[in-house]
Amino acid sequence: RPDRERTQTICKGPRSGPFAYRHAAAQWPVFTPPHWPRIRPPLTAMTVYTSAGTTLRVLAAAPATFDAAGYGALVMTLVGEVTDLGEFGREYALVTFIPVGSRGVQKKKGSFNQGTMTIGLGLDTDDAGQIMLKAASQSDADYSFLVTTQIGDKYYFRAQVMSFKVNIGSVDQITAASVTLELTTNSAGVGVVEVLAP
């Protein structure tokens, strides 16, 4: 078997990878590629996915319990013609403290907010889900929502529907609507309930 130093010398330069190994094997019939511990194995398949196929459902009723079982027992109405679901998630308020002795700013987490969602729709005045959203925008009550992703992950939450706006736009535009949700928590601080697909 060739020594490591000579093998590394041959494998460098204009030849690399399998070309270098074939070149070395031509000189040494018993050649086997050297092993370097820092060389990582091939990457595994990617687990990211698109948002295509994601759905939104809504219901006026509250769950019996604010967990996967409680929300899972609800029969919600599908919202049609959704074009954009925006983003959501907990965000904390920043609390700072500045002692005069050190002058350094110390930072802590304060209250948290579940976030705001801006939903884009192609306006359909006959769609049961959109009719419910419009009614919710004129109500002071919290509504229940469910976002289900392409791979089956589920996100349950309660929210106030703050607005339902129609966007007529230009001659080359589909008549649309936008809905603003303010995600909220219950008295125990439970907000978004995440149920990941197995």
Side-chain angles (χ1 to χ4, degrees):
R1 179 172 178 166
D3 62 88
R4 179 185 178 91
E5 181 178 353
R6 189 178 178 194
T7 301
Q8 290 177 325
T9 301
I10 290 176
C11 291
K12 291 179 179 178
R15 298 173 181 266
S16 62
F19 299 101
Y21 293 148
R22 284 200 295 268
H23 180 69
Q27 297 190 35
W28 299 306
V30 295
F31 172 79
T32 56
H35 172 70
W36 288 287
R38 287 181 294 178
I39 298 179
R40 298 181 179 178
L43 296 175
T44 57
M46 294 177 65
T47 56
V48 297
Y49 52 93
T50 70
S51 297
T54 300
T55 60
L56 173 69
R57 294 178 181 271
V58 60
L59 184 67
T65 55
F66 290 86
D67 54 19
Y71 275 112
L74 299 178
V75 180
M76 300 192 189
T77 301
L78 179 69
V79 179
E81 309 300 345
V82 177
T83 59
D84 193 333
L85 283 168
E87 62 181 7
F88 59 88
R90 180 177 295 190
E91 182 176 359
Y92 287 86
L94 175 64
V95 178
T96 60
F97 171 69
I98 311 175
V100 295
S102 67
R103 300 191 300 178
V105 180
Q106 299 177 20
K107 299 180 180 182
K108 300 293 182 182
K109 288 181 177 179
S111 59
F112 62 82
N113 190 323
Q114 294 294 346
T116 302
M117 284 181 70
T118 301
I119 300 170
L121 303 169
L123 184 63
D124 182 353
T125 56
D126 292 325
D127 180 77
Q130 292 194 26
I131 291 171
M132 192 173 293
L133 286 176
K134 187 174 182 178
S137 71
Q138 300 172 12
S139 170
D140 290 336
D142 295 342
Y143 276 60
S144 298
F145 290 87
L146 165 61
V147 173
T148 305
T149 69
Q150 177 191 111
I151 62 171
D153 292 342
K154 298 180 184 295
Y155 299 90
Y156 297 99
F157 54 88
R158 298 276 283 169
Q160 290 267 310
V161 181
M162 306 304 291
S163 66
F164 187 106
K165 297 180 179 179
V166 176
N167 180 2
I168 302 298
S170 68
V171 66
D172 292 322
Q173 178 178 322
I174 297 295
T175 302
S178 64
V179 178
T180 303
L181 306 183
E182 288 292 343
L183 282 66
T184 187
T185 61
N186 69 356
S187 58
V190 178
V192 178
V193 175
E194 181 183 73
V195 181
L196 300 182

